[in-house]
Amino acid sequence: MNNITAEAEVWAKEKLGGDSSGHDWWHIERVRRMALRLAAATGANAFVCEMAALLHDLADEKLFGDEESCLRDIRSWLAERTVAEPDAEHIVDIIANLGFKGGGRSGLTTLEGRVVQDADRLDALGAVGIARTFAYSGWKGQPMHDPSLPVRTSMTAEEYRTGKSSAYNHFHEKLLKLKELMNTDEARRIAEDRHRYMESFLLRFEAEWNGTDAW
């Protein structure tokens, strides 16, 4: 299977190598490494986890538009490389149901799906998660912080994707919720530490924003 994962790596690099939204090749590589780590800890199928991790953002509608068309491309790509149909369908199902989408998606029922979801969500936490949040907000043309923008507490997928927000609000609308959404014990342990780091960052950010420099 190593040649197939190597080809998937090349494809992901071709599609995402120039990305500046925080969904670049290095995000894919971090998610791949974490997915393999969690697969080893849980006994999940490492090939399915690695492939889903490598290809997971190639069907991201905010990057490539029509999700269904992208999923068909991934399915065809896997078929051309004679990936066993059960594995191929499993990989595509994980990719199709991975995203946060305002918190409304919960279609992952397999251990492998939960592992890859944890790996992807862990990359949205901690120091890297903070950096990715500001990169993504800049890419979308959103402000770093605007106190006049209320934090959205419930959203449809469309509102989550297209509504007005800020980098600061994104922490409260998504990132601080992720710790409680982890599926595996190892991911929960990692998330606890990364979550605390983000909380500390936000306290300091708020203090500096307000000019108090006390946290």
Side-chain angles (χ1 to χ4, degrees):
M1 294 298 186
N2 287 342
N3 59 326
I4 297 173
T5 55
E7 287 186 55
E9 179 178 325
V10 170
W11 193 25
K13 285 179 178 178
E14 288 175 353
K15 298 280 280 185
L16 297 165
D19 178 85
S20 59
S21 74
H23 300 81
D24 58 357
W25 158 250
W26 295 110
H27 163 67
I28 299 294
E29 174 63 10
R30 290 190 303 272
V31 174
R32 189 244 293 262
R33 287 198 302 264
M34 183 59 72
L36 288 172
R37 174 179 170 183
L38 296 178
T42 61
N45 182 313
F47 172 71
V48 169
C49 291
E50 184 174 14
M51 288 295 293
L54 283 166
L55 302 178
H56 79 276
D57 273 341
L58 271 59
D60 192 326
E61 61 187 358
K62 67 180 174 290
L63 303 177
F64 297 111
D66 182 14
E67 181 182 45
E68 288 304 317
S69 175
C70 292
L71 290 171
R72 285 194 296 272
D73 289 345
I74 292 170
R75 190 177 278 108
S76 296
W77 188 92
L78 293 168
E80 288 168 4
R81 283 148 187 83
T82 63
V83 174
E85 188 172 347
D87 283 347
E89 286 304 313
H90 194 177
I91 291 162
V92 172
D93 181 69
I94 292 170
I95 294 167
N97 291 285
L98 196 65
F100 186 76
K101 303 281 188 179
R105 242 186 217 195
S106 57
L108 290 168
T109 59
T110 67
L111 176 58
E112 289 74 20
R114 291 168 179 156
V115 160
V116 178
Q117 186 176 66
D118 280 355
D120 190 36
R121 288 177 168 175
L122 283 169
D123 205 55
L125 300 179
V128 167
I130 292 167
R132 290 183 67 220
T133 297
F134 288 98
Y136 180 69
S137 289
W139 179 77
K140 282 197 75 174
Q142 294 179 336
M144 178 171 66
H145 182 33
D146 181 348
S148 70
L149 285 175
V151 172
R152 300 170 295 174
T153 56
S154 80
M155 296 164 277
T156 65
E158 180 64 20
E159 288 168 341
Y160 174 72
R161 184 71 70 221
T162 62
K164 198 169 184 181
S165 189
S166 68
Y168 174 84
N169 282 13
H170 189 63
F171 287 96
H172 297 279
E173 292 171 352
K174 176 183 177 182
L175 305 186
L176 293 174
K177 299 176 182 179
L178 294 180
K179 176 172 71 77
E180 302 303 324
L181 298 176
M182 294 296 161
N183 302 296
T184 63
D185 289 341
E186 178 70 358
R188 280 190 283 272
R189 184 187 67 78
I190 298 166
E192 285 284 350
D193 180 64
R194 296 189 183 191
H195 182 91
R196 283 194 298 271
Y197 186 89
M198 286 198 314
E199 287 182 318
S200 175
F201 167 80
L202 286 171
L203 287 174
R204 180 156 185 157
F205 179 91
E206 290 156 7
E208 292 184 10
W209 184 273
N210 294 322
T212 62
D213 290 321
W215 47 87

